[in-house]
Amino acid sequence: DPSKPDAFLCEGPWDAMVLWEVLRRARSGTTDPNQIEYTEDESQSLLKDERVLAVPGCNASSELFEKMGRVMADKTAVLMFDSDHPVINNGTTSRAGYDGMRRFSQSLAKSEERPDSVHYLNWSKGSPPDKEGYDLDKPSGWDVRDHLTQGKTFQERVEFLKELLDKIEPIPALWVDGVSKSKSGSLDMELLPCSSYQYL
């Protein structure tokens, strides 16, 4: 539904299905809109403003990321990839879910059609070290489905949804800083692709 202003992008269809299922049972608080509470009225649920999408994994192709960017054009995109602990290969540290969100953000920044804003699920938000992007207290690979299904009833799952939503924040500017060094060493604005006069 292109009329909806927000789009959640999950890593994997199972995460997306559970998120969709819980969003349709949650609404903004009646007394405090920053709170989330249970509802059985889907027309009043958070799902009325949200689209839930999925990619098959955090290492999806650039072409798929580009297509997803077009689907989320002029919207608020929220990336909700897994909480993967660091792995060191040949001296390089990687966190698959975190790195996938960063790579997708860079792909969006270079696209002609892109979201108005991009946010991400920072699994480490509120616990040091905040910049690492994974939850030290959960096993590696912990995901949206794992987190939400800790609740056995929809009422409990709505509480866990609130925890996830509280961990969403704008992507770091460093991910898409938009500058590159020229041959002279000065900083120049990076050129963006433009293939039509209408887009210009």
Side-chain angles (χ1 to χ4, degrees):
D1 182 353
S3 70
K4 294 183 178 182
D6 303 329
F8 287 103
L9 182 67
C10 294
E11 181 186 342
W14 297 109
D15 285 11
M17 284 183 247
V18 172
L19 179 60
W20 180 88
E21 185 179 54
V22 177
L23 283 171
R24 66 192 289 258
R25 297 290 188 167
R27 70 174 182 195
S28 297
T30 50
T31 56
D32 181 357
N34 293 321
Q35 293 301 315
I36 304 295
E37 54 190 39
Y38 174 79
T39 183
E40 292 190 7
D41 183 358
E42 187 174 334
S43 68
Q44 297 300 313
S45 74
L46 296 177
L47 199 60
K48 72 181 183 337
D49 293 324
E50 314 291 353
R51 287 180 292 161
V52 181
L53 309 166
V55 290
C58 61
N59 291 318
S61 68
S62 297
E63 293 81 15
L64 178 58
F65 280 165
E66 186 177 327
K67 288 177 183 177
M68 297 306 290
R70 287 197 296 270
V71 171
M72 295 185 286
D74 303 321
K75 309 294 181 188
T76 297
V78 181
L79 311 180
M80 302 186 77
F81 288 13
D82 298 356
S83 171
D84 296 308
H85 292 200
V87 174
I88 300 174
N89 288 322
N90 298 324
T92 302
T93 302
S94 65
R95 298 177 302 274
Y98 183 84
D99 294 343
M101 289 187 286
R102 184 173 182 165
R103 189 168 62 88
F104 184 46
S105 298
Q106 292 167 347
S107 175
L108 288 175
K110 295 174 185 173
S111 175
E112 287 186 12
E113 298 177 277
R114 53 184 172 266
D116 282 339
S117 63
V118 181
H119 295 69
Y120 80 113
L121 175 56
N122 181 0
W123 287 100
S124 66
K125 186 174 181 179
S127 63
D130 198 47
K131 65 178 190 273
E132 295 297 333
Y134 65 95
D135 190 334
L136 291 163
D137 297 326
K138 302 290 188 210
S140 186
W142 188 259
D143 59 22
V144 169
R145 179 176 61 160
D146 294 327
H147 197 82
L148 293 176
T149 57
Q150 292 177 99
K152 300 309 173 198
T153 66
F154 279 119
Q155 289 89 339
E156 291 175 356
R157 289 181 181 189
V158 167
E159 293 298 318
F160 285 107
L161 174 66
K162 174 75 166 84
E163 287 181 11
L164 282 184
L165 298 180
D166 285 344
K167 292 180 179 291
I168 292 171
E169 61 184 37
I171 61 169
L174 179 64
W175 287 9
V176 288
D177 58 12
V179 294
S180 59
K181 292 237 177 169
S182 69
K183 290 180 182 174
S184 65
S186 63
L187 290 175
D188 293 330
M189 291 304 296
E190 192 173 61
L191 298 178
L192 295 174
C194 182
S195 59
S196 71
Y197 181 78
Q198 182 180 11
Y199 176 73
L200 177 64

